[in-house]
């Protein structure tokens, strides 16, 4: 092979390897970004569930507090 052919072949191989590396790197970066986005979405959903649980717990406690005086009043009335 002549020298210009060898140089052209080497440049083509280097260009191809560079393109393959770049595409692989981009795919990995997109994958990591997607995983981060999914993690953030899961965290937001978890926070919302915890908030709802907390509100339900507060409502239950308030309902119990409201029921207690009425039970005491009924017991006093029967006496």
């Amino acid at each position: 092979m002549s020298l210009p052919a060898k140089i052209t072949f080497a440049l083509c191989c280097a260009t191809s390897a560079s393109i393959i590396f770049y595409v692989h790197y981009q795919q990995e970066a997109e994958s990591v970004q997607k995983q981060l986005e999914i993690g953030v979405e899961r965290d937001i959903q978890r926070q919302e569930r915890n908030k709802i649980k907390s509100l339900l717990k507060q409502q239950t406690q308030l309902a119990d507090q409201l029921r207690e005086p009425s039970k005491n009043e009924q017991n006093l009335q029967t006496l």
Side-chain angles (χ1 to χ4, degrees), residues 42-74:
R42 286 182 185 165
D43 191 41
I44 291 170
Q45 290 172 352
R46 182 185 54 81
Q47 288 175 353
E48 289 175 357
R49 283 193 309 266
N50 288 343
K51 186 176 179 181
I52 290 170
K53 285 180 184 178
S54 175
L55 289 173
L56 289 175
K57 186 175 181 181
Q58 288 176 353
Q59 286 180 345
T60 304
Q61 290 173 348
L62 289 173
D64 290 342
Q65 288 175 357
L66 288 173
R67 288 184 194 129
E68 285 178 11
S70 64
K71 287 181 182 178
N72 291 338
E73 289 175 6
Q74 288 175 355

Side-chain angles (χ1 to χ4, degrees), residues 5-50:
K6 289 179 184 179
I7 292 172
T8 303
F9 180 70
L11 287 175
C12 288
C13 289
T15 303
S16 296
S18 298
I19 290 171
I20 291 170
F21 174 76
Y22 177 76
V23 169
H24 177 70
Y25 178 76
Q26 285 296 99
Q27 287 176 345
E28 288 293 320
E30 288 175 5
S31 175
V32 168
Q33 182 67 26
K34 237 180 221 186
Q35 289 174 353
L36 289 174
E37 290 173 2
I38 290 171
V40 169
E41 289 174 5
R42 286 182 185 165
D43 191 41
I44 291 170
Q45 290 172 352
R46 182 185 54 81
Q47 288 175 353
E48 289 175 357
R49 283 193 309 266
N50 288 343

